[in-house]
Amino acid sequence: MTHSNFQTCIDACNDCAMACNYCSTACLKEPDVKMMALCIAWDMDCAAMCTTAAAAMARDSEHAAAICKLCASICQSCADECAKHTADHCQQCAKACQACVKACLEVAASEVAEAA
């Protein structure tokens, strides 16, 4: 796959990373920060993974499919945690994570198909 073929997923990863960074910061301002601890932790892991995945795709890394598969898994866990909270920033983050899951799984599937 070429860089341009990855663009949709790169955009989804970047959008998700931004949403996760915003969510983690907003969670720190919630009245009960302790209740948001797991959400913050997942946000941080997810943002880091999304940034890594976007960079791997931009480089057309041989490992892009594997990285995207892992990214999808982490994004799904983050989406599941964020969806438990009613705060708008958590709900928006969950949506961005779900979009990233979809895009990353498409890249992972297409890369595996190309290798076959």
Side-chain angles (χ1 to χ4, degrees), residues 26-76:
C27 284
L28 288 169
K29 296 175 184 173
E30 291 291 331
D32 188 0
V33 175
K34 198 173 210 175
M35 183 185 82
M36 305 305 287
L38 187 57
C39 188
I40 294 165
W42 274 117
D43 285 337
M44 293 170 66
D45 285 350
C46 191
M49 189 69 237
C50 287
T51 301
T52 299
M57 287 182 282
R59 293 189 305 273
D60 198 18
S61 170
E62 290 181 29
H63 303 287
I67 291 168
C68 284
K69 187 175 178 182
L70 177 59
C71 187
S73 176
I74 291 170
C75 286
Q76 186 62 60

Side-chain angles (χ1 to χ4, degrees), residues 60-109:
D60 198 18
S61 170
E62 290 181 29
H63 303 287
I67 291 168
C68 284
K69 187 175 178 182
L70 177 59
C71 187
S73 176
I74 291 170
C75 286
Q76 186 62 60
S77 295
C78 189
D80 292 345
E81 178 59 31
C82 283
K84 294 176 186 177
H85 304 284
T86 59
D88 186 55
H89 57 85
C90 288
Q91 294 299 310
Q92 292 303 315
C93 187
K95 286 181 187 175
C97 287
Q98 288 293 7
C100 195
V101 167
K102 182 178 184 280
C104 281
L105 289 177
E106 287 174 7
V107 167

